[in-house]
Amino acid sequence: MDGDVVVVGAGLSGLATALGAALKGRSVTVFEAADLVGGAAAYSGGQVWVGANHVAQREGIDDDLERARAYVRDIAAADPELLDEQALERWLTTAPVATKYWEDVGAIRWAVIPGLADYHSDADGALEAGRYLTNAVIDGSELGEWRGRMRVSPYFPVGTTYAEMFEKGRRKAYVDDADQVAEHAGVPAFGRAGVEAPTGASDTQLDDPLTFGTGVVASFVARVVREDAVEILTGHRVVELLRGDNGVVTGVRALGPDGPIERRGRVVLATSSFDWNPELVKELLGIDPDDFGSVAPESIRGDGITLARSVGAAVARIPATSVPMLPGWPSQVGTGVGYGPEFALPHAMIVDATGKRYCNDSYWVDIVRRTLDPADRHLPFFLIWDEQHHRKYGLGATSPGEPYPVGMVTSAPTLGELGAALGIDGVELEHTAMHFSEHAAQGVDPDYGRGSVAFVQRFAGDPDHEPNAVLGPISEAPFHGVRLKIVGTGIGSSGVHIDCDGHVLDEDGGQIPGLYAVGSCAALTTTGSGYNSGIALGRALTLAYLVAQELGS
Ligand SMILES: Cc1cc2nc3c(=O)[nH]c(=O)nc-3n(C[C@H](O)[C@H](O)[C@H](O)COP(=O)(O)OP(=O)(O)OC[C@H]3O[C@@H](n4cnc5c(N)ncnc54)[C@H](O)[C@@H]3O)c2cc1C
């Protein structure tokens, strides 16, 4: 049976669009290239940024649309030419409505992430808490047979709540759950008995609590699989868009385990970004493979862009300096790059080959902006830390104080020798570390402001480290270092050009009939060069709502 609607990708935006369209009476086929559903969203922190949302309101937090608008406008003000004014307004005004809608239809129970400040605390309209939502814990049993077909994040201690994680610090929470995190990296079965549900969830004990991005997506999965009108075909990669004589997109062709299959209907691209497509990484970010890695699933290959281009769609570009990416290091598990708060913990700093610092090196927004600045690039770049960091935090799958795997980290008795081994000016590195350490011991960084961003302190820092959760001297031998990579998280910012309602546009700005795009495969013209964690998922759920309403009308 052909569906009215074909959704390409079963990550968060695709599943939400499918649910919304089904609730509007449509029959929907969802094609998912991977064997598991959830996409990068299931790997994510599950932070969903929504200004003036109803959840904050019911928790007694004061916010309104004017302040949310002021905030987004301020963080996007540097590059107004990258902004689509209509898309910005549509998103800001629809996001609170969509957020409530998803809760009203039983797709998720929301909770505010406690005490997490907007990135840019100094911007107009910034809040100290209230705009980051996540799911209020779901038990895996609610997914039935789909529990085993869900991606589980290897990057967050799934089962732990944000409140619990903040109490220990993110790194310690991860290390405490390391066995489970490693065991469940891409492996379905997971359970942690006896975790208390947080305020706002049920007061019973859960056997298989799901939190972070895994929990957010699991909530939608549990709801969408109850809709008979939605068919989800995993292991099916869409490879072609079908068109009628008049140029209307009429369906897709996918490759599945039993060969090619076609479905007719209006098509929604929900394939996320282009992390695992080196040509698109080079074209849209200007980064070579040696300097780039990704923690998104390997099925995120820019297919939405390739498919849309094949029918004449335009690609909108956001400069690499504004793309939310992070520094990463070689990893012993998973996709080859490490992702975590280690670079932002005390007793660490980032330098380039000259041995000098050049950015607020605990704050990824500044790291990316300055490392990739076309007028003053700082590639290659390196993370440098000392034995105190090793003893307290470890790195990736290496627990605190454990030996690093052979070949992963370079170590030396002095910073000069470390510099020589890594290809960094060792004399300058010694000077840099000495200067950094003098101030770090006082909890300040007069040069680049490390330790001054409230979001970073809470999300990445060590709450037990005084006087500053992200600053400590680099003074105890042996010293350690790695060459870093820029790490994508399934948000490329550049992508398929859409209008404010998710219609895919051609090079002349006209709508391509029958074709929509939602989530991170669509360019972030909504906020241009401004970004705050959670905007990817917040906008994804808003676009899914808007497109689903139109598909159902
Ligand atoms: C570690 C990590 C932490 C993050 N934290 C946050 C956060 O806290 N807040 C936030 O807002 N964002 C965060 N992100 C980014 C966010 O998760 C992504 O931008 C988001 O998942 C995008 O949602 P989506 O629905 O567009 O795509 P996804 O959830 O990635 O889903 C896309 C799906 O499409 C499938 N697909 C691709 N091509 C095809 C094809 N040809 N045919 C069929 N299926 C296809 C993929 O396999 C995938 O399942 C994080 C990402 C990572 C990796």
Side-chain angles (χ1 to χ4, degrees):
M1 183 194 74
D2 280 3
D4 292 328
V5 174
V6 180
V7 175
V8 187
L12 186 64
S13 63
L15 292 168
T17 308
L19 174 61
L23 292 173
K24 284 281 180 182
R26 297 296 166 203
S27 146
V28 187
T29 304
V30 183
F31 286 106
E32 168 52 55
D35 291 332
L36 301 174
V37 298
Y43 279 2
S44 79
Q47 295 174 10
V48 181
W49 194 95
V50 185
N53 67 75
H54 73 288
V55 193
Q57 195 181 23
R58 81 180 168 216
E59 294 192 12
I61 296 170
D62 186 28
D63 190 14
D64 55 55
L65 209 49
E66 279 317 305
R67 272 179 285 172
R69 181 180 286 114
Y71 178 70
V72 174
R73 288 209 165 275
D74 199 4
I75 67 173
D79 302 286
E81 72 284 0
L82 298 175
L83 266 185
D84 176 337
E85 287 288 336
Q86 271 189 316
L88 168 61
E89 266 312 301
R90 180 78 90 248
W91 165 61
L92 273 172
T93 53
T94 311
V97 179
T99 306
K100 183 159 187 321
Y101 172 82
W102 295 124
E103 191 165 69
D104 288 347
V105 299
I108 192 161
R109 283 173 301 138
W110 293 114
V112 169
I113 299 178
L116 197 58
D118 288 336
Y119 267 17
H120 310 269
S121 308
D122 295 339
D124 286 352
L127 280 199
E128 287 178 5
R131 291 176 178 157
Y132 299 92
L133 304 180
T134 198
N135 74 304
V137 185
I138 178 172
D139 194 77
S141 60
E142 291 188 39
L143 279 74
E145 58 158 310
W146 282 89
R147 176 64 185 85
R149 300 172 71 182
M150 259 294 304
R151 262 185 214 287
V152 175
S153 181
Y155 304 111
F156 290 92
V158 174
T160 300
T161 64
Y162 263 100
E164 290 165 339
M165 185 178 82
F166 289 152
E167 207 174 308
K168 289 184 177 182
R170 182 167 157 206
R171 178 65 187 159
K172 186 159 189 329
Y174 179 94
V175 168
D176 284 357
D177 280 350
D179 289 347
Q180 279 153 324
V181 171
E183 183 188 331
H184 298 108
V187 181
F190 178 80
R192 196 158 83 94
V195 172
E196 293 263 6
T199 317
S202 90
D203 57 4
T204 54
Q205 298 247 315
L206 305 177
D207 288 329
D208 182 18
L210 300 178
T211 51
F212 299 98
T214 309
V216 171
V217 178
S219 303
F220 277 81
V221 172
R223 180 65 186 83
V224 75
V225 297
R226 291 188 356 233
E227 290 301 317
D228 290 339
V230 178
E231 180 188 27
I232 303 173
L233 297 173
T234 55
H236 284 75
R237 182 180 184 183
V238 169
V239 292
E240 188 183 340
L241 294 180
L242 307 174
R243 294 182 98 181
D245 294 339
N246 48 4
V248 176
V249 173
T250 55
V252 306
R253 188 161 180 272
L255 292 180
D258 301 323
I261 159 173
E262 291 187 359
R263 279 284 198 283
R264 302 278 165 180
R266 284 175 289 174
V267 176
V268 184
L269 299 172
T271 55
S272 192
S273 195
F274 49 85
D275 292 43
W276 289 92
N277 182 324
E279 288 81 28
L280 285 175
V281 168
K282 182 71 183 164
E283 177 193 336
L284 298 172
L285 296 174
I287 308 178
D288 291 319
D290 272 358
D291 292 314
F292 186 80
S294 174
V295 287
E298 293 181 31
S299 56
I300 310 281
R301 294 171 281 215
D303 285 0
I305 295 176
T306 309
L307 290 164
R309 274 180 162 167
S310 75
V311 296
V315 165
R317 290 160 195 266
I318 306 290
T321 43
S322 303
V323 176
M325 299 182 287
L326 295 105
W329 47 86
S331 159
Q332 307 101 298
V333 291
T335 56
V337 280
Y339 162 92
E342 291 88 319
F343 69 94
L345 286 163
H347 316 294
M349 66 178 181
I350 291 176
V351 299
D352 65 13
T354 67
K356 293 181 183 161
R357 294 176 68 222
Y358 57 89
C359 60
N360 178 344
D361 43 13
S362 66
Y363 184 34
W364 41 98
V365 175
D366 202 49
I367 295 170
V368 167
R369 180 165 49 216
R370 293 187 196 263
T371 304
L372 298 179
D373 180 350
D376 184 21
R377 259 166 100 104
H378 292 275
L379 292 172
F381 65 137
F382 304 86
L383 183 66
I384 304 293
W385 67 98
D386 77 352
E387 187 56 19
Q388 299 175 78
H389 184 287
H390 178 209
R391 199 170 50 240
K392 291 186 200 171
Y393 309 119
L395 186 75
T398 304
S399 295
E402 294 282 307
Y404 299 116
V406 176
M408 179 180 158
V409 166
T410 301
S411 302
T414 66
L415 282 160
E417 288 165 273
L418 180 67
L422 284 168
I424 302 172
D425 181 330
V427 175
E428 198 59 58
L429 184 63
E430 300 232 353
H431 287 149
T432 303
M434 197 181 300
H435 178 75
F436 174 80
S437 300
E438 271 170 27
H439 295 291
Q442 312 302 316
V444 291
D445 172 22
D447 302 314
Y448 297 103
R450 184 178 174 117
S452 62
V453 179
F455 175 92
V456 175
Q457 301 254 3
R458 185 138 170 94
F459 186 53
D462 174 356
D464 296 327
H465 187 83
E466 300 281 347
N468 190 310
V470 305
L471 267 170
I474 300 174
S475 52
E476 188 180 317
F479 299 95
H480 311 281
V482 292
R483 178 174 168 174
L484 293 167
K485 284 175 185 269
I486 296 281
V487 171
T489 60
I491 315 171
S493 298
S494 297
V496 176
H497 195 190
I498 57 168
D499 66 11
C500 59
D501 292 314
H503 303 112
V504 174
L505 302 176
D506 63 23
E507 295 289 351
D508 299 322
Q511 293 177 8
I512 297 181
L515 188 62
Y516 303 79
V518 294
S520 293
C521 80
L524 259 170
T525 51
T526 323
T527 53
S529 63
Y531 192 77
N532 193 102
S533 178
I535 285 181
L537 295 180
R539 186 190 69 141
L541 287 176
T542 306
L543 277 171
Y545 169 82
L546 284 166
V547 169
Q549 300 307 300
E550 175 169 326
L551 291 170
S553 62

